[in-house]
Amino acid sequence: MSAPLGALEAGGTKFVCAAGTGPDDLAATARIPTSTPDETIGAVIAFFDDHPVRSLGVASFGPVELRRGHADYGHITATPKPGWPGTDLIGRLRDALGVPIGFDTDVNGAALAEGRWGAAAGCDSFVYLTVGTGVGGGAVVGGRLAHGLVHPEMGHLYVGRLPGDDFAGACPYHGDCLEGMAAGPALAARWGMPAEQLTGAALDRAVHLEAEYLAVGLRSIIYTVAPERIVLGGGVAKLPGLLEALRGALADQLAGYPALPEHEDASFVVPSALPAAGLAGALILAEDALKG
């Protein structure tokens, strides 16, 4: 029997390792706290030494260098995560494990998984947007992940502040971008507690603001990418009442243009169907690595 595929979801808080063939077939998993590159990558290598795989897919936090011909291919680049800028993640894993490695962002991995097994199954063009510790998006257009000079950075779309909102924004680069206004740290900074602890009037206000800012961001994404569906993931996206409020706010943002009935349907913006979409997507990247 051949070895299974390997999957690594590399996040700013934790690295999750697994071996298997699909989201319902993960023979082994491990969660490794994200500390220093040496400690974290060393623990990943130790896991796959104990659980040999025939190829590895890595879905990583970013920014990352995805251009195969670039000298820094496989590196984590200008991340605000202390100690991680310039880390050669893929090179170190390849040297240690000696197997083919597929590499992309965590949100692109999640998009692949939602397209094969989850909420975007059957769609040719769609967007996966995660709203949690940060905001990130992956786009599949014509059945292929959207790549360019760099991967899409949907979390840094400009949204500006709503009238009467004096919150400066939590993004260290842009302040009031989508991530700066709508990610988990922004909610925690506004309310003095994590979003999942909010109740009563504070929760109602948080859901309203979150829906409005996300709707502004989604309007730009819709007009640029023209997706058939938008899949929403991440912890903040699970706030009670948010999805319904977002659908209403998005209708207001689109203002009847371009008058597509699909935009008004409940199936246009949907929650993620996979509890570990990034990890499942890493298995697809591992498959692709075997194809060369």
Side-chain angles (χ1 to χ4, degrees), residues 14 114 128-133 182 184 187 195-198 203 206-207 210 214 231-244 246 270-277:
K14 64 182 182 299
E114 291 288 350
Y128 172 86
L129 190 78
T130 183
V131 189
T133 304
L187 273 72
E196 61 270 19
Q197 296 179 12
L198 295 172
L203 175 61
V207 167
E210 193 71 14
L214 287 173
V231 179
L232 206 62
V236 174
K238 297 176 183 176
L239 284 175
L242 177 59
L243 185 60
E244 293 77 10
L246 173 57
V270 299
S272 169
L274 299 174

Side-chain angles (χ1 to χ4, degrees), residues 39-150:
E39 185 175 9
T40 308
I41 296 171
V44 170
I45 292 168
F47 173 88
F48 288 111
D49 282 341
D50 290 339
H51 302 87
V53 295
R54 54 197 165 111
S55 65
L56 175 64
V58 179
S60 175
F61 75 98
V64 294
E65 180 55 70
L66 297 176
R67 294 171 290 176
R68 288 189 172 274
H70 197 281
D72 290 333
Y73 172 75
H75 287 60
I76 295 172
T77 58
T79 178
K81 181 72 176 176
W84 283 85
T87 297
D88 184 7
L89 176 61
I90 300 306
R92 293 175 68 170
L93 292 173
R94 185 189 297 115
D95 290 346
L97 300 175
V99 298
I101 298 180
F103 180 48
D104 217 306
T105 65
D106 47 3
V107 287
N108 276 349
L112 288 175
E114 291 288 350
R116 177 178 295 190
W117 296 297
C123 295
D124 190 54
S125 296
F126 61 92
V127 166
Y128 172 86
L129 190 78
T130 183
V131 189
T133 304
V135 176
V140 172
V141 180
R144 298 175 62 88
L145 285 171
H147 287 145
L149 187 63
V150 70

